[in-house]
Amino acid sequence: MRFRPDLLRAMIVLFNLALVIFGFTFFYLLFGETLLKSYHNRPVPMEQPGYRSGGSGKTADAEEEIVNGIHVQSGLIYAEGFDIVRGNCTACHSAKLVTQNRATREGWTDMIRWMQARQGLWDLGENEPVILDYLATHYAPEDIGRRATIKVEEIEWYLLELEEE
């Protein structure tokens, strides 16, 4: 039997190919489903190409439930501009980040500019005025504080009379 280098090379190539296929298959079995889910459920702004609704595993009805003017899933006030705000803001962060903040229109504009400069927020284009209107209307600063001072002199006082036994 004669040694054939060309046959050895072919066997090495086939072995390496089988090793690569096995490696990809093993990697896919371990991580493939997780990687595919994270890719398909990535946030995409509603007004941007590639938007698709759903993907959370909940029914569409449960995702769109409105109770007392609040969108249940996000916690955002359900009003004009809601869809655009939800689509753009929650693409990067939780709606809770919106609901816990209060700012004037100028304050919200400053936050958007900061996100664009530092966090990679895209140009909002014609959606920006709609977003600012929504935020400035529904998440404006609130004048809340301590209760009103009690005016003692205006209180009508009386004496409590206890019966003695």
Side-chain angles (χ1 to χ4, degrees):
M1 194 169 205
R2 236 175 79 205
F3 177 71
R4 296 185 51 192
D6 54 333
L7 185 60
L8 181 61
R9 265 187 250 122
M11 288 175 56
I12 290 173
V13 167
L14 286 174
F15 177 77
N16 285 334
L17 182 62
L19 195 59
V20 168
I21 291 171
F22 175 78
F24 277 117
T25 304
F26 184 74
F27 182 81
Y28 178 77
L29 290 174
L30 284 179
F31 305 108
E33 188 172 333
T34 303
L35 292 174
L36 288 174
K37 277 184 184 177
S38 66
Y39 175 78
H40 288 295
N41 290 329
R42 73 192 188 284
V44 179
M46 287 176 61
E47 296 299 319
Q48 302 293 322
Y51 174 74
R52 83 258 166 282
S53 61
S56 69
K58 297 181 182 176
T59 65
D61 292 340
E63 288 183 358
E64 299 307 319
E65 186 177 0
I66 310 300
V67 176
N68 296 327
I70 304 294
H71 180 256
V72 175
Q73 182 188 24
S74 67
L76 292 169
I77 294 171
Y78 190 76
E80 185 176 344
F82 164 79
D83 287 328
I84 292 174
V85 169
R86 179 177 65 163
N88 283 276
C89 297
T90 63
C92 297
H93 55 72
S94 167
K96 289 181 181 181
L97 198 55
V98 175
T99 61
Q100 72 187 10
N101 282 291
R102 299 283 173 179
T104 62
R105 185 179 185 91
E106 294 75 27
W108 285 112
T109 302
D110 289 344
M111 284 187 241
I112 288 171
R113 296 293 172 263
W114 176 82
M115 287 184 276
Q116 288 171 331
R118 304 275 188 221
Q119 304 297 313
L121 176 63
W122 51 87
D123 178 23
L124 298 172
E126 61 190 33
N127 289 333
E128 186 170 310
V130 176
I131 292 169
L132 288 171
D133 288 344
Y134 175 90
L135 294 173
T137 300
H138 302 290
Y139 297 99
E142 292 179 338
D143 290 330
I144 58 171
R146 302 181 62 137
R147 63 179 168 78
T149 303
I150 296 175
K151 298 179 182 173
V152 178
E153 62 278 357
E154 293 179 8
I155 296 176
E156 193 174 314
W157 295 97
Y158 63 94
L159 290 175
L160 180 63
E161 296 180 16
L162 299 174
E163 293 182 19
E164 290 184 36
E165 287 185 31

